[in-house]
Amino acid sequence: MKNSLVLLFVLIFSIAGSTELVFGHGFGSETLPPASIGDRDVTFSISVLPSIFDPNVNEHLITLNLFDSKTETAIEHVTFELEFSKNKKQLFKEVFHDETGTLKLSVISDDSEQISIQGTQEPILGGWLVDDENPLTFTGPIFTSGGLYEYKVKILSIDSDSNVLKSPIGFEGGISIADHQFFYVDDHLKQSQKLHVVSYFDQIQDFDFDSNQLTFTIPFDWNQNFQEISVIHQEVRIPNTFSDFLSTNYDSYVNGLLLPHDITTIDDYSFDDRTVHTVITRDLLKLLKNNVQTSDEIIEFTLQPNDQVDFPLYFTTSDYQVFLYWEPEIIRAGEDVIFFIDFQQIFSDHHKHHVEYDFSVIQQGDSIYQKHFKGDIDSDYSNVHQVNFDPKNSGSANLLVSNIDGDPQSKGNFIIVIEPGTSQNSETNGIPSWVKSNAGWWADGSIDDDSFIQGIQFLIDENIIQIPPTLAGSNSQTNDIPVWVKVNAGWWADGSIDDDSFVKGMQFLIKSGIISLN
C-alpha cells in the first residue's frame, strides 16, 4: 500500500494534459452531471452539513462521493484534489486519498489565523489518507459565515492506488451555506416585530425596512456563467403578530424589476410565522441580466404586500387538496364574512362524497371560532361558512382546517388579518382591543406619550375613531398632556370607565392641539 501510494503521488505531480470540467451550483449539497472516464460514466456529489450557518455551531462535515452513473455503486480508491474558496479567496487546497469512494472531512471552524489538519499524512509528498481508520479533521477559519463557497475538485485516480488518470476529471461549483439573520422593525404602533431572513445563496447585506417595504442585497456577479446556477432562493419569515406585513399576495423585485407573480409563494404551515419564498430560476436570471446594470455586483431583493387578494389559497395533504377563499376580500370585525372551502381527493374517481373536518380560527393561542362540519368532496359547490368576528379580535389569526376525515395529521393553516370594523357610532363603536391595551401601557408608563399619540392619530386617520371636524380646534401645540387624561386612560383600560369617557378625553387632546388632524 505504502509503495503504491508513493508511486501514485509521484505520478500525480508529473501529470501533463488537460482536465475535463463539469460545472454545478447547489445549496448545501449537489450532484453534478455525469462525466466520462474511459468507457463508463461517473457521477460526483458533494455536501456540507449542517447547511444553514449558525454561529453557535462550529463543526461541519464535508462529504465527497464518486459513483458509477449506471449502477450507482461507489468507485473505490479515489484520489481527490479539493480546493475551497470564498469571495475569490482560497481557504484550502489539499490532496486526499480515500479507499471507499466516500471522502468525509470533519471541519471545525474558529477564528485562528491559519488552518491546521489532524490526520495521517503520506510522508514523502504530503497527501492525506482518509478512511475509517484514518479520520481527518480541519481546524481554522473555514465556515465562519453563511454564503457561497466555491469548490474545485480533480479526480486523480480511481479503482486502484496506482491507476492514475492521464486526463483528470474536474468538477467545479458552489455550495451555499444558508445565511440567516434576524432584524427588528417597528410596526405602525411602534411595537417591535422580528423578521427572519434566510438566503440560500449568499450573505445578506444592506437590510432596510421602510414604508412596509423590505429590502436586502446579496453579492452576485451578473457577468458569470449562469449555467453554474440552478436557482437563487430567499425566504422572509414574518411573525403572525405583524399584521401590517401580512397579505394574501406579495410583489417581489430584483434590482427594481418586478418579478413574475409565480416566483413568490406563501407558506402558512407554521403557527408561529408565515414564510414567503422567492425562487429565481436560471432562465429568469438570464432575462433579468439584460435589464439590470451589470456593473452592480449585487442582487437587491424587495418584498412588499400587494393589496390584490390572490385566491384561492390552498394546501395539500397526503389525500386531499384543500382550497380556500372568502368574501368580502377584506375581513372586518363586526361584519359577516363568508368562507368557501373546496376539497379535492387526490387518489379517487372524483365522484361527490362526504367528509368530516374541523374549521377553527385561533388567535394568540385561543380559539375564537370553532365548529365541526360534514362537507362535500369533489363537489360543484363549495362548503360555506359564515363568520362574524368580535371587534376585540382585530388583528392577525390562524385559520385552521384540520382532522380531515378523522386524520389528525390531515390539516392546513392559513394566516388571515381581521381588520377593525367601520365605526357606526362616531364615538363608541369599533375601537380595537389593542387600543385599550395601549392605553393601559401608557397609563402605567410602559410606553411614552409620543407612542400613544401616534396610535390614536392612526385610528383617527383610518376613521376607526371618528372625530367631528369642528373639534380640530386651534393649531396651538403643547406636549403637556393633563394628568387626568392619563388617569382616564388607565381607568378605561381596566374597565372602570366606558368608551364614551375615553373618547371625550381624546376629543380634548385634539381640541387643545395636542393631537393635530391632517
Side-chain angles (χ1 to χ4, degrees):
M1 171 72 178
K2 181 176 179 180
N3 290 336
S4 62
L5 279 169
V6 171
L7 174 62
L8 167 67
F9 287 111
V10 169
L11 289 172
I12 287 173
F13 287 95
S14 62
I15 289 174
S18 61
T19 300
E20 181 183 344
L21 291 177
V22 178
F23 294 94
H25 195 302
F27 300 127
S29 64
E30 72 173 352
T31 300
L32 274 65
S36 296
I37 299 180
D39 58 354
R40 63 177 167 172
D41 290 337
V42 298
T43 299
F44 170 78
S45 68
I46 182 172
S47 68
V48 178
L49 293 175
S51 59
I52 295 182
F53 177 72
D54 185 339
N56 298 315
V57 177
N58 66 348
E59 187 169 357
H60 290 76
L61 180 67
I62 302 175
T63 303
L64 280 65
N65 288 282
L66 191 69
F67 54 92
D68 188 288
S69 302
K70 293 182 179 180
T71 65
E72 296 186 356
T73 57
I75 297 176
E76 299 180 347
H77 302 281
V78 181
T79 302
F80 300 89
E81 180 187 84
L82 174 62
E83 177 183 358
F84 252 76
S85 304
K86 190 171 191 293
N87 298 328
K88 303 188 184 302
K89 179 182 178 181
Q90 185 185 90
L91 298 174
F92 66 84
K93 181 178 181 181
E94 298 287 345
V95 174
F96 308 95
H97 181 78
D98 182 80
E99 296 289 293
T100 66
T102 300
L103 176 67
K104 294 184 178 181
L105 307 176
S106 177
V107 176
I108 298 176
S109 301
D110 60 21
D111 56 0
S112 57
E113 294 184 358
Q114 58 185 7
I115 294 173
S116 62
I117 303 176
Q118 293 180 348
T120 303
Q121 194 170 17
E122 195 280 321
I124 297 179
L125 297 175
W128 296 98
L129 308 180
V130 183
D131 55 34
D132 292 339
E133 297 180 357
N134 297 287
L136 194 65
T137 301
F138 278 61
T139 302
I142 302 177
F143 297 117
T144 57
S145 64
L148 182 63
Y149 290 80
E150 297 175 339
Y151 65 84
K152 295 180 181 179
V153 173
K154 289 183 181 179
I155 307 300
L156 304 177
S157 76
I158 61 171
D159 297 330
S160 70
D161 298 338
S162 60
N163 184 26
V164 181
L165 301 178
K166 293 181 179 180
S167 298
I169 301 298
F171 300 92
E172 295 185 10
I175 290 291
S176 292
I177 306 299
D179 183 35
H180 71 118
Q181 298 184 37
F182 295 96
F183 301 95
Y184 291 87
V185 303
D186 287 343
D187 60 19
H188 72 275
L189 295 175
K190 303 302 179 183
Q191 295 176 352
S192 182
Q193 301 284 348
K194 183 168 74 172
L195 292 171
H196 186 186
V197 182
V198 183
S199 170
Y200 291 95
F201 190 83
D202 213 327
Q203 283 183 278
I204 301 160
Q205 301 174 355
D206 304 320
F207 176 88
D208 184 57
F209 187 87
D210 183 50
S211 301
N212 221 29
Q213 185 181 79
L214 180 153
T215 303
F216 64 93
T217 67
I218 62 170
F220 187 76
D221 181 7
W222 286 97
N223 294 313
Q224 66 182 290
N225 182 354
F226 283 6
Q227 290 303 118
E228 301 177 27
I229 298 175
S230 52
V231 297
I232 295 178
H233 181 190
Q234 312 294 318
E235 287 181 2
V236 177
R237 300 174 186 174
I238 308 165
N240 62 13
T241 58
F242 196 2
S243 57
D244 293 10
F245 206 59
L246 295 175
S247 175
T248 58
N249 194 13
Y250 291 87
D251 288 333
S252 293
Y253 298 81
V254 161
N255 292 29
L257 300 174
L258 180 63
L259 298 179
H261 183 66
D262 58 357
I263 293 299
T264 304
T265 58
I266 298 172
D267 177 9
D268 280 340
Y269 185 78
S270 169
F271 261 62
D272 298 325
D273 57 30
R274 154 177 288 175
T275 301
V276 181
H277 301 268
T278 301
V279 181
I280 303 175
T281 64
R282 178 193 300 124
D283 290 340
L284 180 57
L285 277 173
K286 291 178 180 178
L287 293 175
L288 292 171
K289 180 180 179 179
N290 297 326
N291 294 282
V292 301
Q293 295 181 358
T294 55
S295 59
D296 293 338
E297 296 182 352
I298 61 168
I299 289 181
E300 180 186 73
F301 289 93
T302 300
L303 182 72
Q304 64 183 28
N306 185 324
D307 293 336
Q308 182 180 355
V309 180
D310 189 20
F311 286 139
L313 309 179
Y314 70 94
F315 67 87
T316 302
T317 72
S318 58
D319 296 317
Y320 301 99
Q321 279 191 310
V322 182
F323 300 87
L324 170 73
Y325 64 101
W326 58 80
E327 293 180 354
E329 292 182 355
I330 298 177
I331 302 172
R332 294 192 183 278
E335 300 178 7
D336 290 340
V337 56
I338 300 176
F339 292 96
F340 302 87
I341 301 178
D342 294 321
F343 293 91
Q344 292 182 7
Q345 195 161 14
I346 297 174
F347 305 106
S348 75
D349 55 5
H350 296 291
H351 70 279
K352 177 183 175 181
H353 56 291
H354 301 294
V355 65
E356 295 189 23
Y357 62 96
D358 291 327
F359 180 86
S360 55
V361 180
I362 298 171
Q363 191 174 64
Q364 298 179 354
D366 296 325
S367 177
I368 61 175
Y369 179 87
Q370 183 170 3
K371 284 191 177 181
H372 182 78
F373 290 100
K374 292 182 179 179
D376 294 328
I377 293 178
D378 294 321
S379 172
D380 293 332
Y381 300 96
S382 300
N383 301 283
V384 178
H385 309 291
Q386 182 172 308
V387 183
N388 192 306
F389 294 104
D390 193 287
K392 68 181 181 182
N393 296 128
S394 298
S396 59
N398 296 89
L399 190 154
L400 179 65
V401 180
S402 61
N403 293 319
I404 302 172
D405 208 19
D407 181 0
Q409 301 302 317
S410 187
K411 60 185 179 181
N413 173 58
F414 304 96
I415 295 177
I416 62 173
V417 178
I418 305 168
E419 299 287 347
T422 302
S423 176
Q424 300 299 316
N425 181 300
S426 64
E427 294 185 346
T428 62
N429 293 332
I431 301 178
S433 59
W434 52 262
V435 178
K436 187 170 289 190
S437 298
N438 268 17
W441 293 334
W442 178 51
D444 66 20
S446 298
I447 64 175
D448 59 21
D449 292 351
D450 288 341
S451 298
F452 177 72
I453 290 173
Q454 287 171 2
I456 299 301
Q457 179 69 64
F458 171 80
L459 297 182
I460 295 168
D461 291 343
E462 298 296 319
N463 290 319
I464 297 170
I465 295 178
Q466 297 177 1
I467 305 294
T470 55
L471 290 181
S474 67
N475 292 326
S476 62
Q477 298 288 322
T478 175
N479 293 323
D480 297 326
I481 299 178
V483 174
W484 66 264
V485 177
K486 185 171 288 191
V487 172
N488 272 16
W491 288 343
W492 179 62
D494 64 22
S496 299
I497 63 173
D498 59 19
D499 291 352
D500 286 340
S501 299
F502 172 73
V503 171
K504 288 176 181 177
M506 296 306 101
Q507 289 175 331
F508 175 86
L509 295 180
I510 297 167
K511 186 175 181 179
S512 302
I514 296 172
I515 295 179
S516 60
L517 294 176
N518 296 327

